[in-house]
Each structure stands twice: as structure tokens, then as C-alpha cells.
């Protein structure tokens, strides 16, 4: 069985989400990503143009949502976020997380 199948069944998705949130070797690096610095560099290189963030294998979408917020703070005028994941339960969780956390930012569109 490939690892992909672990993300399709709801019980294994729940176990995966718990693992990502609580297991330090996974959770700590996620918290330490320099997304603010990365966003500033992206906005500087893009020259203030509208951006599209394509999140392949987004899982729960936490890092992508955080990066989107950082991009807006760095001055992105318009941002589209496309969330993609093979797991329907993870994709649904990512979409709801992104929409609820970015709802106050009218220049952001999540799909």
C-alpha cells in the first residue's frame, strides 16, 4: 500500500492531522518557516503584481494560509490561492481554514 492511501480514508486522515499538529519533528519545523521573509522577497520580485499561490499537496493548508496573510501584509494587491490535494478530507479542511482565516482580506480569493 502506498502512502497516498493513508490520506483518503477519514480515520487515517484524522490520525495524520493529529500527527502533524502534535509530533514535534513535524510541528516544530512548520512553526519555524520564515514565511514573512519569503513573502517580502516574493512581493519585491513580483513588482507589486497580482499573485497566484498554487498549493500542491496542501494538506490542511496551514502554511499556505499563513503565507497568504504574509503576502498581503507585504503589499500584494490581489492574491488568488488555489489549494490542491489528493485527499478530499484534507482539501476540505484546508479550504475551510483558508477561508475562515482570510475572510477579512478582500484582496484574497481562495479556490
Amino acid at each position: 500500500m502506498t502512502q497516498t492511501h493513508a490520506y483518503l480514508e477519514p480515520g487515517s486522515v484524522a490520525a495524520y492531522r493529529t500527527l502533524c499538529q502534535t509530533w514535534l519533528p513535524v510541528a516544530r519545523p512548520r512553526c519555524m518557516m520564515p514565511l514573512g521573509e519569503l513573502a517580502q522577497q516574493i512581493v519585491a520580485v513580483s513588482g507589486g503584481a497580482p499573485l497566484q499561490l498554487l498549493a500542491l499537496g496542501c494538506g490542511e493548508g496551514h502554511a499556505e494560509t499563513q503565507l497568504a496573510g504574509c503576502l498581503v501584509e507585504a503589499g500584494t494587491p490581489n492574491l488568488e490561492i488555489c489549494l490542491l490535494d489528493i485527499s478530499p478530507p484534507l482539501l476540505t479542511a484546508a479550504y475551510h481554514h483558508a477561508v475562515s482565516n482570510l475572510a477579512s482580506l478582500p484582496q484574497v480569493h481562495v479556490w
Side-chain angles (χ1 to χ4, degrees):
M1 181 163 91
T2 67
Q3 184 180 4
T4 303
H5 296 299
Y7 308 120
L8 299 177
E9 193 273 319
S12 58
V13 169
Y16 171 77
R17 291 179 73 186
T18 300
L19 177 73
C20 288
Q21 294 168 2
T22 59
W23 193 44
L24 285 180
V26 173
R28 179 172 280 154
R30 285 183 170 192
C31 296
M32 298 175 68
M33 288 189 289
L35 296 178
E37 294 172 23
L38 178 62
Q40 290 174 358
Q41 291 177 8
I42 291 170
V43 171
V45 169
S46 71
L51 297 174
Q52 291 181 327
L53 174 60
L54 303 176
L56 303 175
C58 64
E60 294 180 293
H62 287 245
E64 295 79 3
T65 300
Q66 187 179 356
L67 177 58
C70 291
L71 286 166
V72 169
E73 287 178 15
T76 298
N78 290 303
L79 177 64
E80 287 187 10
I81 305 171
C82 175
L83 301 169
L84 299 167
D85 200 282
I86 193 169
S87 169
L90 287 176
L91 181 57
T92 300
Y95 179 80
H96 288 294
H97 178 76
V99 168
S100 67
N101 283 279
L102 302 171
S104 65
L105 304 173
Q107 66 271 51
V108 177
H109 175 70
V110 180
W111 56 283

